[in-house]
Amino acid sequence: MNRRDLLIMSGAALLLAGRASASNIDYTPGLVQQRLAAGETLFVDFFAPWCGTCRTQERHIEALREENPAYDAAMSFIRVDWDTYGRGELAQSLEIPRRSTLVVLRGDAELGRIVAGTSRSAIQELMDLGLS
């Protein structure tokens, strides 16, 4: 193996290791209610894999989680695939208007939300709500 290949493989391994530490939970019906009943704080991301806004939000969320491990300690990150569940019970009960909606929930309360916003500072403010 030459030096260039080794560097490329090492970089890829580091990227994968970083992503593995910040895990997302894929939504299934009933999951949010179950986790809230257990006393968890949830960061719920209504996304579509083809959505550019969603990809920008995801980059900011992952970077912020990497920079501050307290986010992962304080809340669970649940990703809701809009194409599958966008018209489902959860989206309807939370009145989610579209994909690229981020919501922080605790107990019976919605602590905050962003709809189609891609500002890193706004996303950080929303995530900070889950820390308090």
Side-chain angles (χ1 to χ4, degrees):
M1 179 179 303
N2 66 36
R3 182 180 164 142
R4 187 181 114 235
D5 290 340
L6 180 63
L7 289 172
I8 290 170
M9 290 177 61
S10 297
L14 286 172
L15 284 173
L16 290 173
R19 287 199 176 267
S21 66
S23 62
N24 294 306
I25 302 164
D26 292 329
Y27 173 77
T28 56
L31 176 69
V32 168
Q33 295 80 359
Q34 176 188 15
R35 297 277 182 133
L36 290 172
E40 292 184 40
T41 299
L42 305 179
F43 185 96
V44 185
D45 177 0
F46 290 85
F47 80 102
W50 47 266
C51 170
T53 301
C54 301
R55 284 193 302 272
T56 300
Q57 289 175 331
E58 180 182 14
R59 281 193 301 271
H60 291 316
I61 293 165
E62 294 303 319
L64 290 164
R65 290 172 71 184
E66 208 169 286
E67 292 167 14
N68 187 354
Y71 292 127
D72 285 319
M75 61 189 137
S76 297
F77 288 78
I78 298 177
R79 290 181 42 102
V80 181
D81 187 320
W82 183 258
D83 293 335
T84 304
Y85 299 108
R87 288 184 167 64
E89 180 184 337
L90 179 65
Q92 289 180 5
S93 68
L94 294 175
E95 298 179 5
I96 303 301
R98 56 172 287 164
R99 68 197 179 286
S100 67
T101 299
L102 309 171
V103 184
V104 176
L105 303 168
R106 182 182 300 135
D108 293 335
E110 178 179 311
L111 303 181
R113 82 170 50 193
I114 294 174
V115 178
T118 59
S119 160
R120 179 185 166 103
S121 61
I123 293 171
Q124 183 173 4
E125 287 177 24
L126 180 66
M127 292 172 70
D128 287 346
L129 292 173
L131 295 178
S132 56

